[in-house]
Amino acid sequence: MQIYVVQPGDNVDAIAAGYGVSANSIIYNNQLVYPYRLAIGQALLIDEGGTRTDKREAVIRGFAYPFISQYVLDQSLPSMSELAVFSYGFTREGELIYPFLDDNFMISSAYRFDAAPILTLTPLDASGQFSNELISAVINNPEAVQTLINNLTIVMEEKGFLGIDIDFEYIKAQDREAFVSFVSNVTQTMNALGYSVSVDLAPKTSAQQQGLLYEGKNYPALGNAANSVLVMTYEWGYTYGPPMAVAPLNKVREVLNYAVTEISPDKINMGIPNYGYDWPLPYERGVTRAKTIGNIEAVQLAIAKNAQIYYDETAQSPHFNYTENNIEHEVWFEDPRSIQAKINLVYEYNLRGISYWQIMQLFRSNWLQIDYNFTVIKN
């Protein structure tokens, strides 16, 4: 399996002939759109039918909302170990709040492809924002904790979930130890029933890191309390931030360098974003808002705007600029090169696997790379 970067004058037929593969395979694997124009600098995955001789086992998880299409699920699940349904909430009393759409088709689809359906538990308020007040109210109330655990036990059995992912963000510093206790309680109860528990961690680079995202997360204690962790190594580039890679490899590496000193690598899933951002320029903090963009959509935009795609060697991420209605834009996204760079980190750090936020848009070349590089652990 090779990655080819498009040069001036290239076309699909010529590239296919050069590798001895069919043009149709390049078109299909890279989700090219008729009439199959290419952008200079675009990365194409070329499947020559080879097998990686040193590939290792890995747990591959993808998060999805209940409005994901059945087609995208069916295309993605063969390469996945776990499907995390986003999300279940709860009240201050510990009563569960179900997703706003029926998720049963996701659970049955996961079983059909031998992937474990995972319940994602989040403290989202009525506006869809993470509420640390809700977190604090529940984890410091033993009665509410027990009610929530009892309700989780019921829904796990009713729905057929095989695990729980605890995705609590912006935890108050003073709730740090109470959160560890909560995760430990959930894990002990669920493990006794045969279910696994994971917890999501903000991307820290030191134990003393300041900030609302970081202070409430005790890496070593949470690593011990849960069966596995997701280190959320993305969102350096984000909706309201300045233009940059969503998951720059140099920053991801800094987080992993710290994480593996506090948590056993075989319990760590590294987060990978399945999206990019399009920023209007000039960037003005507090004013500029980036648009979320799919990886395939980003390439098609570059083609439509005759923009050349560049690759940042430090961030190991593709990007390009274009102009529309006299406004310049800057786009950062993921492509086969950036995905392979992240996959290489799983090998380098001997990690448990990868978690994708999120799989709502099909990125076929990514799944081909997963299958080439890993023996995906199945349910």
Side-chain angles (χ1 to χ4, degrees), residues 143-278:
E143 183 177 342
V145 168
Q146 192 56 55
T147 299
L148 179 55
I149 291 175
N150 291 342
N151 286 325
L152 285 168
T153 300
I154 293 170
V155 78
M156 296 292 285
E157 177 67 25
E158 285 182 348
K159 291 276 194 173
F161 285 111
L162 296 179
I164 294 176
D165 181 70
I166 300 173
D167 183 9
F168 288 15
E169 300 181 28
Y170 306 108
I171 298 168
K172 296 178 181 179
Q174 59 265 35
D175 290 333
R176 175 184 172 104
E177 300 314 315
F179 180 58
V180 172
S181 178
F182 171 75
V183 172
S184 181
N185 286 339
V186 174
T187 302
Q188 290 175 22
T189 301
M190 294 302 155
N191 284 181
L193 297 171
Y195 306 128
S196 65
V197 175
S198 58
V199 62
D200 298 353
L201 304 178
K204 295 175 68 168
T205 56
S206 71
Q208 292 76 37
Q209 190 164 348
Q210 301 296 302
L212 186 57
L213 269 175
Y214 314 108
E215 293 177 43
K217 295 288 178 75
N218 183 330
Y219 264 44
L222 290 170
N224 287 327
N227 301 119
S228 64
V229 304
L230 158 59
V231 180
M232 297 185 288
T233 42
Y234 41 76
E235 287 291 281
W236 278 271
Y238 65 102
T239 304
Y240 298 103
M244 66 179 297
V246 179
L249 204 75
N250 54 320
K251 297 298 183 182
V252 173
R253 186 181 291 279
E254 289 177 8
V255 173
L256 293 178
N257 284 341
Y258 167 64
V260 297
T261 67
E262 301 281 28
I263 303 170
S264 176
D266 62 8
K267 297 184 78 170
I268 297 175
N269 268 38
M270 176 184 67
I272 293 182
N274 180 33
Y275 59 92
Y277 286 109
D278 180 341

Side-chain angles (χ1 to χ4, degrees), residues 88-97 121-124 131 134-135 138-139 148 168 182:
Y88 283 72
F90 52 90
T91 67
R92 286 172 173 257
E93 295 74 33
E95 299 298 331
L96 271 182
I97 300 172
L121 186 67
T122 60
L124 298 179
S131 170
L134 175 59
I135 296 171
V138 171
I139 66 176
L148 179 55
F168 288 15
F182 171 75

